[in-house]
Amino acid sequence: MKIPSETKVQAFQEEVLRLTGVKAHHQRLRFGFPSSKILKDDARSASLKEVGLQDGELLILEDLHDLFLGNLESGQFTMEEMLDKVPPSPEDGEDCTVTLFLDVLSAFEIESHSLDFWHAIRQRLREYFAEDQVGEMTKVSAGLKKLQQLFRHHDTRQRMQLILGSLPIRWKLHQSNKLVIQRSSFFESVARQVHSMNRRTMLTRLHISYQGEKGVDAGGLTRDFFASFARHMAEEAWLWRSTGRGSLHPTYGGEGGAGQMYQVCGRVFAMALLHGCKLGRPLSRPFMRLLLHVRPSSLQELQAELNYEAGEQVDFRCRKDFLETPLADLGLDGMLNFSHEGQEFIPGGAQIEVTDENKEQWLWHSLQQELFSPEAERAADDFRQGLIHVLGGRGPSLCPLLFLFAPEDLIDLWGSGALGKRELALWKSVCSVNSRIQQQAAWFWQVLEEEFDDELRSKVLQFATGTSSIGRDGLSAFRLEPGDGGDGRLPTAMTCGNLLQLPRYSSRQVLRQQLQTAVESTGSFEML
């Protein structure tokens, strides 16, 4: 970091916040050698030079919030002692560390002399799961929400394991349940079988096979099944539509059986969590917000959600100056009313013209209808019920797993659906290459980085490993080996071993063409 020595400490802390996300009151900045000097709060109006920071000095940032959580999880301190270690906060708001900590202790009835924080949480969760008291589940769900805020920077899979370890019916790793899929009617054949499963069956490991195809499921077919399921969901236009970003958002057109199908989708997504697998397409962030009961409360939030899902598409409703700019200047004067595709936002909306005076009201209703409609909310209720069928909960909406996550956390857990340059670098970093195809391997990575977009890269990853997303945990290993033949042969994969075989292609262009052909046309293949 380069910064002028005349910079005030307060301005420097704000820059640290921008770069790291650590709030100023949680920053402990050490410098000097040994690093014993501390930038103190009472020096915020002084310059860096005035507090003794020298050019080229090594600066160590400590996050007091994370240090507190480390002490909490160490088991060395009682909860009463931890109260003395809570980091400072400028004000005692609902999201300050001490308030969140006290709320969690109260919700889970953790005693002040307890040492093992997570043991107490798991113990209380098991009791709540075993009891049939909706009031108690409401209390624990609120506690889990506070726990999510307290551990908001912790790995999402660690939080998920907290719930999985508390299920009254254990995840039966050594038992298996066979799922036989017809490729020509993928979604229908999966939905029929998953709908008929009981909870004990859904808590066993899946063994995947495809009718009329050879294949031994050593893990690759299972990963491929989950990665493929969300893409086949996208083909069910009566249930889902694609946003500009490529996410799936519910349509819920009212056809018979739609609620049952959303429950099936929820069940499959829950089983994907149990198997540690990613899905091939992300669900929309507005849909995640409906799952979590966190609807936007302001027009700015609604615009941000639309802008997020629009991707590269341009929507005039996302414009920051939409409310300030006259409709005539936007070319929209007399073009809009309070309805869309036959649905009225308010009674008689089709006859109410949008004007500069009422366009803020129109924008609110328009975005609510597109992203958070009653139909989308019903789909979220059904999908959530499918999660509860597998992961536990009470009633139609109390799924404790969901209270541990923010919308972005769930998107990460189930897979973002695209493979960017950063994820590509992680993939490449664990790759080993057979010396006989060094040139072809170099072309392979060049094609992925320079010629394929994010979606096509994710298809290559699924073809080679059975999953279309690297995920937070990444890949442990990947191999590129020689394949049979030359320019006329397609690449082949063994997904159980994260192995891709490349024939000795004569040029980068040939490799690109054959690789794209393989990943886009493969519908039936032998996979291990």
Side-chain angles (χ1 to χ4, degrees):
M1 175 189 294
K2 289 186 178 181
I3 196 163
S5 60
E6 293 77 19
T7 303
K8 300 297 184 184
V9 170
Q10 180 176 355
F12 178 70
Q13 289 179 316
E14 291 171 355
E15 179 65 8
V16 171
L17 169 62
R18 185 185 70 82
L19 294 173
T20 67
V22 179
K23 297 178 181 178
H25 56 274
H26 286 162
Q27 296 174 13
R28 184 158 69 191
L29 294 158
R30 296 181 179 272
F31 64 100
F33 184 80
S35 56
S36 56
K37 299 179 182 179
I38 300 176
L39 288 182
K40 298 181 179 179
D41 288 341
D42 56 8
R44 299 188 76 199
S45 60
S47 70
L48 296 177
K49 185 176 182 179
E50 288 171 338
V51 299
L53 196 63
Q54 303 296 316
D55 185 32
E57 191 110 54
L58 176 66
L59 194 65
I60 297 176
L61 170 64
E62 296 176 330
D63 185 341
L64 296 178
H65 182 83
D66 279 354
L67 289 175
F68 169 76
L69 296 181
N71 286 326
L72 178 62
E73 294 181 295
S74 70
Q76 298 178 7
F77 306 97
T78 66
M79 300 301 106
E80 185 175 7
E81 291 171 328
M82 286 305 305
L83 286 172
D84 295 329
K85 297 180 179 296
V86 175
S89 178
E91 56 186 27
D92 294 334
E94 291 184 359
D95 61 347
C96 76
T97 304
V98 65
T99 302
L100 292 172
F101 181 52
L102 288 172
D103 286 345
V104 170
L105 294 181
S106 173
F108 293 97
E109 301 176 8
I110 302 176
E111 298 178 348
S112 60
H113 63 268
S114 296
L115 285 169
D116 194 331
F117 177 76
W118 287 117
H119 174 77
I121 295 285
R122 291 189 184 92
Q123 183 68 26
R124 190 61 62 188
L125 278 176
R126 291 189 185 103
E127 293 173 3
Y128 287 147
F129 272 120
E131 296 171 357
D132 191 17
Q133 300 179 26
V134 174
E136 290 298 306
M137 284 303 298
T138 303
K139 180 180 178 181
V140 76
S141 294
L144 286 169
K145 185 66 176 178
K146 297 295 184 181
L147 195 66
Q148 181 254 116
Q149 293 174 268
L150 188 63
F151 286 85
R152 56 188 174 274
H153 299 308
H154 272 42
D155 186 87
T156 51
R157 290 201 167 273
Q158 291 180 352
R159 279 181 263 160
M160 185 187 70
Q161 290 302 323
L162 177 69
I163 292 294
L164 299 185
S166 305
L167 290 174
I169 303 176
R170 293 286 180 262
W171 164 227
K172 303 181 186 304
L173 183 64
H174 302 296
Q175 298 181 22
S176 64
N177 171 45
K178 194 167 186 178
L179 193 62
V180 182
I181 303 169
Q182 177 67 48
R183 281 198 186 272
S184 61
S185 55
F186 186 102
F187 186 84
E188 181 184 350
S189 68
V190 171
R192 183 174 60 254
Q193 294 174 77
V194 171
H195 176 66
S196 65
M197 291 181 183
N198 59 36
R199 190 179 183 201
R200 288 186 178 275
T201 301
M202 290 186 287
L203 287 168
T204 60
R205 182 170 293 281
L206 285 177
H207 184 278
I208 303 297
S209 65
Y210 290 92
Q211 288 185 11
E213 298 181 25
K214 298 178 182 179
V216 177
D217 189 1
L221 283 172
T222 298
R223 293 195 300 271
D224 174 72
F225 159 69
F226 285 114
S228 300
F229 183 78
R231 286 201 297 277
H232 284 282
M233 283 167 53
E235 298 169 1
E236 305 297 321
W238 64 297
L239 297 172
W240 304 95
R241 65 174 174 86
S242 293
T243 68
R245 192 182 183 87
S247 307
L248 296 179
H249 193 74
T251 54
Y252 215 123
E255 290 87 345
Q260 186 181 98
M261 290 300 100
Y262 286 118
Q263 287 187 19
V264 165
C265 292
R267 287 182 170 199
V268 173
F269 273 62
M271 289 189 284
L273 293 180
L274 293 175
H275 286 76
C277 293
K278 299 285 186 176
L279 281 300
R281 289 281 294 272
L283 298 175
S284 73
R285 194 167 72 180
F287 185 65
M288 295 298 185
R289 294 187 69 137
L290 288 171
L291 280 178
L292 299 175
H293 303 288
V294 286
R295 297 174 67 112
S297 58
S298 70
L299 187 56
Q300 291 73 24
E301 283 185 282
L302 279 170
Q303 285 182 300
E305 291 301 316
L306 180 66
N307 191 47
Y308 178 85
E309 290 300 336
E312 296 182 359
Q313 296 179 357
V314 178
D315 193 310
F316 70 88
R317 293 172 297 174
C318 295
R319 290 181 52 160
K320 293 181 180 179
D321 63 346
F322 174 73
L323 295 179
E324 291 74 32
T325 306
L327 289 173
D329 293 350
L330 295 171
L332 296 172
D333 194 23
M335 302 288 291
L336 305 171
N337 58 50
F338 279 73
S339 68
H340 179 66
E341 295 182 351
Q343 288 189 313
E344 295 185 330
F345 304 154
I346 56 178
Q351 283 72 49
I352 301 176
E353 183 179 323
V354 178
T355 66
D356 287 325
E357 289 70 32
N358 65 17
K359 66 180 178 182
E360 182 173 352
Q361 181 188 13
W362 171 84
L363 184 59
W364 171 269
H365 286 294
S366 174
L367 298 184
Q368 285 281 3
Q369 179 62 35
E370 180 162 341
L371 301 175
F372 299 93
S373 66
E375 293 79 15
E377 192 156 17
R378 285 201 298 274
D381 290 341
D382 290 325
F383 189 98
R384 190 187 307 109
Q385 191 63 52
L387 294 174
I388 291 173
H389 290 164
V390 181
L391 301 174
R394 291 283 184 263
S397 61
L398 291 177
C399 181
L401 174 77
L402 296 179
F403 287 90
L404 275 176
F405 301 115
E408 294 77 11
D409 294 330
L410 286 179
I411 291 172
D412 177 72
L413 272 178
W414 281 319
S416 61
L419 193 72
K421 295 288 184 70
R422 179 179 172 275
E423 291 78 14
L424 180 63
L426 292 174
W427 180 12
K428 186 177 179 180
S429 69
V430 298
C431 178
S432 61
V433 179
N434 187 296
S435 59
R436 290 180 290 171
I437 55 164
Q438 288 286 354
Q439 181 60 71
Q440 287 76 17
W443 289 335
F444 173 78
W445 295 114
Q446 289 168 8
V447 165
L448 290 183
E449 183 172 0
E450 300 171 13
E451 301 187 49
F452 284 6
D453 60 17
D454 292 359
E455 184 177 356
L456 192 49
R457 287 191 205 108
S458 71
K459 289 182 179 180
V460 175
L461 179 63
Q462 186 192 347
F463 176 79
T465 68
T467 181
S468 59
S469 175
I470 291 291
R472 188 169 293 190
D473 298 330
L475 289 173
S476 59
F478 178 71
R479 290 187 295 152
L480 288 173
E481 294 285 346
D484 294 333
D487 288 354
R489 294 294 298 270
L490 296 177
T492 55
M494 289 191 291
T495 57
C496 63
N498 292 340
L499 168 67
L500 181 65
Q501 294 175 310
L502 295 174
R504 293 179 181 81
Y505 295 122
S506 60
S507 70
R508 170 172 159 172
Q509 185 58 36
V510 172
L511 182 144
R512 183 200 187 285
Q513 182 61 50
Q514 294 295 69
L515 181 62
Q516 185 169 356
T517 299
V519 301
E520 291 190 333
S521 63
T522 299
S524 176
F525 48 86
E526 293 187 20
M527 181 185 293
L528 295 175

